[in-house]
């Protein structure tokens, strides 16, 4: 699309610096005031930081949560048709669809050329799943669901640049209201197409694709008509392609990091389809992964908040504030994750009933809930540390850590336990939890050992370099 890419890049690059210069230095002053008792410094600094985090994380969590609920509701509508339909919708949505979502989210507006190759993957999804060893009934039903998601592929590369454009200007509330309104439309249309018109799986997935396009069109209309965007949106221009290669290079490391994280637990869903009684395995794991995905939106909001807070404080030359922000956001996210885990364990026997009927699936989900609880607690820490990495510019390092821990340890150990030792879904999940634990420990140690004064100098160097390479856009 011909959105003014260069202007978006310029706005995003300047945002942390502008926000840092405009923000109060009160937090740094409190942390540096050695005359205040330590307990008073801690209380005052915690309150200041909590206000920062609430303003940043709450809107982000709302947008992520509402968007995720659309996918969750689609799986719920499908699951009420039967266990096979739930397995198909889960494999299609959490396996194949999230492959595209991770790639698009990672590369943002630099992925338009991937539309067609991904559409081909969707079209041949049945053959692909059969080649991977999935059961034929599940592969056939999944392919029907996936066909309806093809229009969604084309919504992704339009939606993510628009979101970045708005977020770079701290315009978050309109996206939240648009997402909320779309959710109500999505639920109504899903009920009509799945149950009244009886289009089944294809109806459920087509409505999901249509809902994403509602979000895209509504946000674009907002940009066109909003006074807040008139200074940054000047219409379609060929300058959109200027600096595209620089943007690709900047986003490559982030893309790798986000893709590896997004795909990791989706591989668990694909591997579940290779187990004995794949329908039951997919149903039980998909219910747990749906709950995990919904709760992960909270962590993702803190991920965004951590990234902004750390980058802003580093840009403002506040090393103590940056370090304190890391501690506070990680601690708060961890506490929320512990509460989520406790709730899941208390409701372990009834969670599955929201998705499908039958005690067989309910018992299988109940057995997996302890693994889900551990995953939720890890998700309370690991995504936040990834957000810190983005704020500090450590994306390449984290990408290497992800490859080693996730794909060098987690998946191989999971396959060994699940298939060789015949532990099934529990074995696969245990191995993948092991990979996440290893990654979390490495990131915790690396963050703990960070010299924040040096990070301030690195941030200043990167910002100065970007200032030197920016090109003016308004060439008349």
């Amino acid at each position: 699309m011909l959105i003014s890419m260069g202007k978006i890049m310029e706005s995003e690059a300047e945002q942390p610096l502008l926000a840092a210069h405009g923000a109060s230095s009160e937090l740094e002053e409190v942390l540096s005031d050695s005359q205040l008792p330590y307990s008073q410094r801690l209380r005052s600094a915690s309150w200041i930081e909590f206000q920062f985090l609430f303003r940043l994380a709450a809107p982000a969590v709302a947008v992520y949560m509402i968007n995720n609920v659309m996918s969750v509701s689609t799986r719920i509508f499908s699951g009420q048709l039967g266990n096979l339909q739930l397995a198909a919708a889960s494999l299609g949505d959490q396996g194949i669809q999230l492959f595209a979502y991770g790639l698009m989210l990672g590369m943002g507006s630099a992925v338009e050329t991937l539309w067609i190759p991904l559409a081909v993957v969707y079209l041949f999804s049945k053959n692909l799943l059969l080649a991977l060893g999935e059961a034929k009934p599940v592969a056939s039903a999944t392919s029907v669901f996936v066909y309806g998601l093809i229009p969604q592929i084309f919504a992704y590369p339009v939606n993510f640049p628009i979101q970045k454009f708005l977020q770079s200007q701290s315009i978050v509330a309109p996206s939240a209201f648009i997402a909320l309104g779309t959710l109500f439309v999505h639920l109504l249309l899903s009920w009509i197409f799945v149950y009244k018109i009886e289009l089944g799986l294809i109806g459920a997935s087509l409505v999901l694709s249509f809902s994403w396009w509602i979000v895209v069109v509504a946000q674009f209309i907002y940009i066109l008509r909003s006074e807040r965007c008139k200074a940054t949106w000047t219409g379609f221009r060929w300058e959109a392609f200027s600096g595209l290669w620089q943007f690709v290079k900047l986003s490559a490391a982030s893309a790798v990091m986000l893709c590896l994280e997004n795909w990791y637990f989706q591989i668990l869903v694909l591997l579940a389809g290779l187990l004995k009684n794949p329908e039951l395995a997919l149903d039980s794991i998909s219910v747990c992964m749906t709950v995990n995905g919904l709760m992960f939106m909270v962590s993702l909001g803190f991920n965004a908040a951590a990234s902004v807070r750390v980058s802003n404080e580093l840009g403002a030359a506040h090393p103590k504030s940056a370090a304190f922000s890391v501690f506070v956001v990680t601690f708060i996210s961890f506490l929320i994750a512990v509460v989520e885990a406790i709730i899941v364990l208390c409701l372990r026997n009834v969670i599955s009933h929201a998705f499908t009927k039958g005690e067989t699936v309910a018992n299988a989900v109940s057995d997996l809930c302890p693994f889900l609880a551990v995953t939720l607690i890890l998700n309370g820490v690991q995504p936040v540390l990834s957000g810190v990495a983005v704020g500090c510019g450590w994306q390449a390092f984290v990408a290497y850590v992800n490859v080693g821990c996730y794909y060098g340890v987690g998946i191989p150990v999971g396959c060994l336990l699940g298939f060789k030792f015949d532990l099934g879904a529990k074995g696969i999940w245990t191995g993948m939890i092991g990979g996440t634990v290893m990654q979390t420990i490495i990131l915790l140690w690396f963050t703990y050992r960070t010299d924040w004064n040096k990070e301030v100098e690195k941030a200043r160097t990167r910002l100065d370099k970007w200032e030197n390479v920016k090109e003016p856009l308004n060439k008349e």
Side-chain angles (χ1 to χ4, degrees), residues 95-139:
I96 294 176
Q97 182 266 348
L98 274 178
F99 169 81
Y101 182 87
L103 196 58
M104 298 295 183
L105 179 62
M107 290 298 288
S109 54
V111 293
E112 285 81 353
T113 55
L114 295 172
W115 288 358
I116 303 304
L118 286 174
V120 172
V121 171
Y122 277 43
L123 286 172
F124 291 95
S125 57
K126 179 179 179 180
N127 295 332
L128 178 62
L129 292 172
L130 291 174
L132 291 174
E134 303 289 346
K136 187 174 181 179
V138 176

Side-chain angles (χ1 to χ4, degrees), residues 25-31 45 48-49 309 313 321 324-325:
S25 60
E26 182 182 1
L27 179 59
E28 188 75 9
E29 293 174 358
V30 169
L31 292 170
I48 295 170
E49 182 61 29
R309 288 292 299 126
E313 296 299 344
S321 297
F324 189 74
S325 296

Side-chain angles (χ1 to χ4, degrees), residues 382-444:
Q382 182 270 332
V384 175
L385 296 178
S386 294
V388 173
V390 172
C392 295
W394 303 338
Q395 292 95 322
F397 166 76
V398 177
Y400 286 121
V401 172
N402 287 355
V403 170
C405 296
Y406 289 170
Y407 300 91
V409 177
I411 293 176
V413 172
C415 290
L416 184 67
L417 294 174
F419 296 101
K420 180 67 176 179
F421 291 94
D422 202 27
L423 295 179
K426 293 180 180 179
I428 297 174
W429 205 338
T430 299
M432 301 184 82
I433 286 176
T436 306
V437 169
M438 179 179 294
Q439 185 230 28
T440 303
I441 291 174
I442 292 174
L443 292 181
L444 277 172

